[in-house]
Amino acid sequence: MQNSEFKIISGDKTANRVITDNGGVFEKVQEHNGQQGWISGTYCGYDDNDHNNKLSPGDTVYWCTYSGNKNRRWNHYGTLEQADANHPNHS
């Protein structure tokens, strides 16, 4: 199955990504930081800005991350952009 990877246009484009299955259905959201590498976020939803019923470039995604002991929560959002226009699908 081919997956799609999207960058999130929000701050550092290389620090956030969303992975979907080949039907544009959410699989995971991750955020990168220098100390912890890629950490998983909790998906909270999205605005289907192009009304195609799947995650795609131009849609706004909402997610959150938690502190290690789960006593702090950070909310995030950003607009999706294709990670690599020359290679939109990743295995």
Side-chain angles (χ1 to χ4, degrees):
M1 177 181 285
Q2 297 271 326
N3 295 346
S4 292
E5 181 175 327
F6 299 95
K7 294 185 285 187
I8 299 174
I9 305 169
S10 172
D12 181 356
K13 290 183 189 181
T14 62
N16 302 292
R17 66 183 177 192
V18 169
I19 307 294
T20 65
D21 69 10
N22 66 344
V25 176
F26 172 82
E27 287 193 347
K28 63 183 169 182
V29 61
Q30 296 177 309
E31 184 172 314
H32 190 272
N33 73 41
Q35 295 176 339
Q36 297 171 300
W38 286 105
I39 57 173
S40 292
T42 300
Y43 176 71
C44 299
Y46 79 108
D47 292 331
D48 188 11
N49 296 325
D50 58 5
H51 309 289
N52 68 355
N53 297 316
K54 62 182 181 178
L55 284 165
S56 55
D59 289 345
T60 304
V61 176
Y62 303 90
W63 75 99
C64 63
T65 53
Y66 293 93
S67 61
N69 60 7
K70 305 279 189 199
N71 69 347
R72 293 180 64 191
R73 173 181 164 150
W74 293 272
N75 296 308
H76 312 274
Y77 70 93
T79 302
L80 295 180
E81 178 181 88
Q82 194 69 54
D84 182 348
N86 294 321
H87 185 66
N89 297 319
H90 295 260
S91 299

